[in-house]
Amino acid sequence: MADWRRLTAEGDLNGLLSLLSDDVVFLTPGNPPITKNDFAKGFREVSAKARIEARQDVKEIRVSGDMAAAWSQLTVVLTPNNGGTTSEASGYVLTVFHRSPADTWLLARDANLVAGAGNPDRV
């Protein structure tokens, strides 16, 4: 989760994609499910317009075999590249991970309740 926040702040899309399962699904308010390709497209659009930084307060992590779930409170700060007004949104996130055959944890499902999540036009 720390790697995710760091890679996001760095704008490292390839690094972020390496943390996702191929069948990842993001669920965000008011949007259809978001796939890995949808995520990549949206991240490119937002990161072209703004720096994305996140703070996360992990409330709980549970691990059972090759599955793990975590819920946290997430705050996302968008700072426009052109010097416009910085925006901040907070909400809860429930994330499910699975252990890959290479023994790394990959994000498999993410229910993100942060206002504006899944909407690249929010910047």
Side-chain angles (χ1 to χ4, degrees):
M1 295 167 91
D3 288 344
W4 183 271
R5 291 188 309 275
R6 178 183 53 78
L7 292 166
T8 297
E10 292 171 0
D12 185 348
L13 177 58
N14 290 330
L16 290 170
L17 294 175
S18 74
L19 299 177
L20 301 177
S21 66
D22 289 337
D23 67 344
V24 67
V25 175
F26 293 91
L27 303 173
T28 60
N31 297 304
I34 297 169
T35 65
K36 191 172 188 175
N37 287 337
D38 298 330
F39 169 80
K41 180 180 182 284
F43 186 84
R44 278 188 206 97
E45 289 177 24
V46 173
S47 63
K49 297 185 255 182
R51 176 173 168 81
I52 309 164
E53 295 178 277
R55 297 185 306 273
Q56 189 172 26
D57 180 14
V58 178
K59 303 295 186 180
E60 180 179 39
I61 298 175
R62 297 222 176 178
V63 179
S64 180
D66 289 338
M67 300 290 292
W71 74 276
S72 57
Q73 184 171 18
L74 182 66
T75 300
V76 177
V77 178
L78 299 175
T79 305
N81 296 333
N82 66 4
T85 303
T86 296
S87 65
E88 183 174 305
S90 294
Y92 290 96
V93 180
L94 178 64
T95 307
V96 177
F97 302 91
H98 76 80
R99 192 186 326 254
S100 74
D103 202 34
T104 59
W105 288 101
L106 299 175
L107 191 153
R109 302 290 182 268
D110 191 73
N112 187 326
L113 301 178
V114 174
N119 181 4
D121 294 329
R122 68 184 184 257
V123 179

